[in-house]
């Protein structure tokens, strides 16, 4: 069996990121999660964009966070750059301590003990292909469908670390619900470990804490987490 070369897919995705044009399909689409991650590494190298954190979704999709895709609450985003946009309730935790490179998976205690302050967030998914990828390796290759992440205001100085097991969240004007973000945070941390770890100050994003909302131009969405602020976003 020929060895998988991640470069063709990475170069095609890099061109789509630079031009805003969408691909009909990925060339040499990855067939395994490891191959999808190899495409991500090659893509970030081609774009010269370091990951500032990692995100995880309930379907097993993970991917890097990019500083250029983080926005302040109240941002109106262009729908042309986010076709078929899907908004998800999310929470972003900053790391108070590094998660260093490790040959074995982090323990839950280590990950949760590294968490620092947190913010309510909205994860808006988008793809560089004309249709949403149907396989996990292809989803991983396209940065996990990273479109935009909209963040509530930064925590006040001296803010304590909230309990990720009992977040009180109201999604898009709905009732408050108590939610456990730990499984998604641990999945994001594992993606970070496989990429070589993260320094203190980097981020872990748990996205998809409640069912997603499809966004059309002119529509908005909100995510409120008690003690962690409110994030709002809209599509133009």
């Amino acid at each position: 069996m020929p060895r998988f070369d991640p470069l063709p897919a990475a170069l095609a995705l890099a061109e789509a990121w630079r031009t805003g044009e969408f691909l009909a399909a990925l060339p040499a689409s990855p067939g395994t999660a490891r191959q999808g991650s190899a495409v991500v590494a090659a893509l970030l190298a081609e774009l010269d964009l370091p990951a500032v954190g990692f995100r995880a979704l309930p379907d097993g999709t993970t991917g890097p966070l990019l500083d250029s895709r983080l926005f302040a609450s109240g941002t109106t985003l262009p729908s042309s750059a986010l076709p078929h946009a899907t908004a998800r309730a999310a929470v972003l935790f900053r790391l108070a301590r590094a998660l260093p490179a490790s040959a074995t998976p982090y323990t839950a205690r280590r990950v949760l003990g590294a968490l620092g302050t947190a913010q309510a967030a909205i994860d808006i998914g988008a793809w560089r292909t004309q249709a949403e990828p149907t396989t996990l390796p292809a989803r991983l290759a396209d940065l996990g469908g990273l479109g935009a992440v909209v963040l509530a205001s930064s925590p006040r100085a001296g803010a304590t670390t909230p309990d990720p097991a009992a977040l009180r969240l109201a999604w898009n004007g709905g009732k408050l619900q108590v939610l456990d973000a730990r499984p998604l945070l641990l999945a994001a941390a594992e993606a970070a470990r496989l990429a070589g770890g993260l320094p203190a100050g980097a981020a872990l994003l748990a996205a998809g804490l409640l069912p997603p909302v499809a966004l059309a131009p002119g529509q908005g969405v909100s995510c409120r987490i008690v003690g962690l602020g409110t994030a709002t976003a809209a599509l133009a």
Side-chain angles (χ1 to χ4, degrees):
M1 179 180 295
R3 184 174 181 176
F4 176 75
D5 181 0
L7 196 56
L11 291 177
L13 286 166
E15 185 67 12
W17 271 84
R18 293 187 181 109
T19 65
E21 297 181 357
F22 299 95
L23 305 172
L26 277 183
S29 186
T32 67
R34 184 183 295 272
Q35 291 174 357
S37 296
V39 174
V40 170
L43 171 58
L44 294 182
E46 175 65 22
L47 293 173
D48 193 23
L49 291 175
V52 297
F54 280 81
R55 59 195 270 276
L57 309 181
D59 66 359
T61 300
T62 58
L65 287 170
L66 303 179
D67 189 63
S68 62
R69 294 289 168 145
L70 302 180
F71 298 90
S73 178
T75 297
T76 297
L77 299 162
S79 57
S80 59
L82 299 165
H84 312 296
T86 301
R88 303 176 182 90
V91 61
L92 182 142
F93 276 83
R94 298 286 179 183
L95 295 178
R97 288 181 284 279
L99 291 174
S102 175
T104 57
Y106 304 127
T107 64
R109 181 175 181 178
R110 183 169 196 174
V111 173
L112 299 177
L115 299 179
T117 57
Q119 297 159 265
I122 299 168
D123 179 272
I124 301 178
W127 304 96
R128 265 52 64 180
T129 49
Q130 293 173 1
E132 182 174 337
T134 58
T135 68
L136 180 59
R139 296 169 72 86
L140 295 175
D142 194 1
L143 303 187
L146 176 64
V149 176
V150 180
L151 300 173
S153 299
S154 298
R156 67 184 184 281
T160 59
T161 302
D163 181 3
L167 299 175
R168 291 187 291 158
L169 187 152
W171 177 226
N172 210 26
K175 294 182 179 179
L176 279 173
Q177 300 185 52
V178 179
L179 302 169
D180 186 354
R182 290 176 299 177
L184 290 171
L185 290 171
L186 294 177
E190 176 62 7
R193 182 189 72 83
L194 293 173
L198 285 174
L204 298 177
L205 182 82
L209 296 170
L210 285 170
V213 172
L215 282 185
Q219 292 182 329
V221 68
S222 66
C223 178
R224 178 170 74 93
I225 302 179
V226 174
L228 305 184
T230 299
T232 63
L235 283 190

